[in-house]
Amino acid sequence: MSGRQGGKAKPLKAPKKKSQDYDEEDLAFKAKQKADAAAKKKLAEQAKKGGPLIGVQSVMPALKKFDANVTRHVKSMNKNLCANLIRHEYIVTGRTKAKRAQAKIEAFLGKALHENRQIQDQPLEYRFQNVRALNYLQPPDKKEVGSKVLEELSKRYTNRTHGFTRVTKLEPRLGEDKAPMAILELVDSDFEIKFWYIAKTVARLELQGLPLDPLTQHNVEKLTKLRKDGEERFRNAVEECKVEFFKYDPEEGRVTSPEVETNLRNKPVDSEVQAGVKAPWASKSRLNTKPRPEKKTVELPKSPFLA
């Protein structure tokens, strides 16, 4: 008889696991895991039944913490934009960020200037301590920016209760993201883009010998209405634009650059834009089109069914 025994071989027994010693932290962690698993199972059962989801806060604490961090970051970013705008008079930033911060800056300036008007006869130190709206600023910016608001901006915006800022759209940023950009600026400042743009337009029209169109006149009135010495400052800006952009010599009274002089000969074609002024260059038609024939009136026969 051979030494091999018949029948199936018995499977080998797995070695016994060594008992691990858990400390208090491990036991607490395992208990928390079991509690979270039970809560998730309970939520799944409630979702199947269509009942209210109770206990979501305990299941997703990380999401709440993330939302809180984002909120704090947005608030801090708006405060920094507010301080930098008041400090530099204008900032270049993303369009969405500029529009979101504009509302906060408008509210801050409105409250601060309103509170300052109530105690404007008091010294600066007293106003600085009692204008509570300045607490919106970050502590490092409060002294510098707050002093400028109480001293300079309060005199500039004596006739304004709102509308302290303007957002001007720019071209998308060069790069991979192509993010839309904008300029957030304080109105009635020396760096206001619209002020200088309209001044350049007026300077060009004056050198061309053309009157101002209604839209340009409206913009000039808006820019000089609430600005201190607005008409005088706008007139100085127009003369400066003539010298800087169109090479105009005030002593000789003419444009010294032949290239600019050639460019000034390109006058607008639309006569309606030029306040109804008709000139030989405006009366000519660009395209040789035939006039549309007049419609002939046709009398319809009366219906015999109508009395």
Side-chain angles (χ1 to χ4, degrees):
M1 186 175 179
S2 62
R4 181 178 178 182
Q5 297 179 357
K8 294 182 179 179
K10 295 182 179 180
L12 298 176
K13 293 183 178 180
K16 294 183 178 180
K17 295 182 179 179
K18 297 181 180 180
S19 60
Q20 297 181 358
D21 296 333
Y22 295 104
D23 54 1
E24 295 181 357
E25 294 182 359
D26 295 337
L27 294 175
F29 178 73
K30 285 186 171 295
K32 185 179 179 182
Q33 282 185 331
K34 291 181 180 179
D36 291 343
K40 290 180 181 179
K41 185 177 180 181
K42 185 177 180 181
L43 285 175
E45 293 176 356
Q46 291 179 358
K48 290 180 180 179
K49 295 178 181 179
L53 298 179
I54 304 173
V56 178
Q57 296 180 357
S58 61
V59 177
M60 296 183 294
L63 185 59
K64 287 185 61 179
K65 186 177 181 181
F66 176 76
D67 293 340
N69 292 337
V70 171
T71 304
R72 285 195 294 267
H73 174 70
V74 171
K75 289 182 179 179
S76 177
M77 182 177 60
N78 291 335
K79 292 179 181 180
N80 292 333
L81 287 174
C82 178
N84 289 325
L85 176 64
I86 296 174
R87 184 183 292 113
H88 303 292
E89 304 283 342
Y90 72 95
I91 51 177
V92 180
T93 181
R95 193 177 302 171
T96 305
K97 192 186 301 182
K99 290 183 178 180
R100 182 170 52 190
Q102 185 182 21
K104 303 296 182 181
I105 298 171
E106 289 280 348
F108 163 71
L109 288 177
K111 293 179 182 178
L113 296 177
H114 175 72
E115 294 178 6
N116 182 61
R117 292 190 189 101
Q118 309 300 324
I119 53 175
Q120 59 184 355
D121 298 334
Q122 302 295 332
L124 178 62
E125 295 182 359
Y126 180 83
R127 288 182 290 159
F128 188 81
Q129 295 177 357
N130 290 272
V131 175
R132 301 178 61 183
L134 297 180
N135 296 329
Y136 174 76
L137 299 171
Q138 301 277 16
D141 303 326
K142 185 176 180 181
K143 185 175 182 180
E144 178 187 358
V145 177
S147 301
K148 184 174 182 179
V149 170
L150 299 180
E151 288 184 338
E152 184 177 344
L153 298 186
S154 61
K155 298 177 182 178
R156 183 190 303 178
Y157 300 132
T158 53
N159 299 324
R160 286 183 182 269
T161 57
H162 58 279
F164 307 103
T165 60
R166 179 186 292 115
V167 175
T168 305
K169 295 181 181 179
L170 296 178
E171 295 180 352
R173 178 168 50 197
L174 297 178
E176 296 180 356
D177 56 352
K178 305 293 184 183
M181 304 297 292
I183 293 180
L184 180 60
E185 60 182 354
L186 293 176
V187 299
D188 298 343
S189 67
D190 295 334
F191 307 99
E192 190 176 1
I193 290 182
K194 189 175 182 179
F195 179 81
W196 288 100
Y197 180 78
I198 299 300
K200 182 181 177 182
T201 304
V202 172
R204 181 182 181 88
L205 292 175
E206 289 183 357
L207 292 176
Q208 290 177 332
L210 298 175
L212 301 183
D213 55 273
L215 181 59
T216 305
Q217 289 180 354
H218 178 67
N219 288 329
V220 171
E221 292 176 0
K222 286 179 61 177
L223 291 172
T224 58
K225 183 178 180 181
L226 299 177
R227 189 187 297 264
K228 187 178 181 181
D229 301 332
E231 296 182 359
E232 181 181 356
R233 293 171 64 182
F234 184 79
R235 192 67 248 169
N236 295 335
V238 170
E239 297 299 330
E240 187 174 350
C241 288
K242 288 181 180 180
V243 176
E244 293 293 333
F245 296 105
F246 302 104
K247 310 301 180 183
Y248 179 77
D249 191 355
E251 297 180 357
E252 298 182 5
R254 65 182 185 87
V255 177
T256 57
S257 175
E259 296 180 358
V260 176
E261 188 174 0
T262 304
N263 188 16
L264 290 175
R265 294 173 187 171
N266 299 328
K267 298 181 180 180
V269 179
D270 193 357
S271 60
E272 296 180 357
V273 175
Q274 294 300 322
V277 177
K278 292 185 178 181
W281 45 265
S283 60
K284 295 181 180 180
S285 177
R286 287 186 173 183
L287 302 176
N288 297 325
T289 56
K290 296 181 180 180
R292 181 176 296 179
E294 297 181 359
K295 293 183 179 180
K296 297 180 180 180
T297 57
V298 179
E299 295 183 1
L300 298 176
K302 295 183 179 180
S303 175
F305 300 99
L306 297 177

